Amino acid sequence: MTLPRLAELYANEKLRFLAVGGWNTLVGYLVFLLFHFTVEPHWGVMATLVASYCVALPHSFLTQRLVVFRSQRHWFPEFGRFVVSNSSIFIANLLLLPLAKAVTGANTALLQAVFLAVSTVASYLVHKYFTFSR
């Protein structure tokens, strides 16, 4: 791929969101796996989710703000909206992951991967029209 073509792709907000979202999903999932394999047996599923969320959230905010939406506004109000937006998705995760595990008996790491795919679409819409809206 040529350098002008890469610049053209980078200019597209949706493609930036997909790239950054993929990166954030990978980072968030790796953080989740770290907690899943190290502390979940002692802390349980809910605490594992909370811990991984708290670690991944600031990273996700910075990449969304700086790379995807290229916001120049004051960061604090946007961070507040980001926390509200992501927390709504996170609360759904907190409720649905243990429920899905109880119903299916599937591994929480696999269930979490499925939830991450669905939440990626919801995340774009919420951040585009609420968190970083102009």
Side-chain angles (χ1 to χ4, degrees):
M1 189 168 288
T2 66
L3 203 50
R5 179 70 178 138
L6 283 175
E8 191 177 305
L9 291 173
Y10 183 73
N12 185 306
E13 180 184 271
K14 289 178 182 155
L15 292 177
R16 286 193 316 270
F17 179 82
L18 288 175
V20 168
W23 172 254
N24 287 342
T25 298
L26 176 64
V27 168
Y29 189 59
L30 290 174
V31 169
F32 173 81
L33 286 177
L34 174 68
F35 285 102
H36 168 72
F37 289 119
T38 59
V39 297
E40 184 179 311
H42 308 289
W43 291 3
V45 174
M46 298 278 259
T48 299
L49 277 173
V50 170
S52 63
Y53 177 76
C54 290
V55 171
L57 184 73
H59 172 269
S60 183
F61 172 72
L62 287 173
T63 58
Q64 293 292 334
R65 176 179 160 75
L66 299 175
V67 178
V68 176
F69 298 103
R70 299 176 177 169
S71 177
Q72 297 295 314
R73 288 176 298 286
H74 194 270
W75 68 272
F76 192 73
E78 288 183 337
F79 185 67
R81 289 190 301 271
F82 190 85
V83 169
V84 168
S85 301
N86 275 30
S87 293
S88 300
I89 294 168
F90 179 66
I91 289 167
N93 196 175
L94 277 176
L95 297 172
L96 295 174
L97 184 63
L99 178 64
K101 182 168 177 63
V103 169
T104 67
N107 182 283
T108 53
L110 176 63
L111 293 169
Q112 183 66 8
V114 171
F115 185 85
L116 285 171
V118 172
S119 67
T120 298
V121 174
S123 179
Y124 175 75
L125 296 172
V126 168
H127 293 316
K128 170 112 177 126
Y129 297 107
F130 175 66
T131 305
F132 300 106
S133 66
R134 293 174 173 92

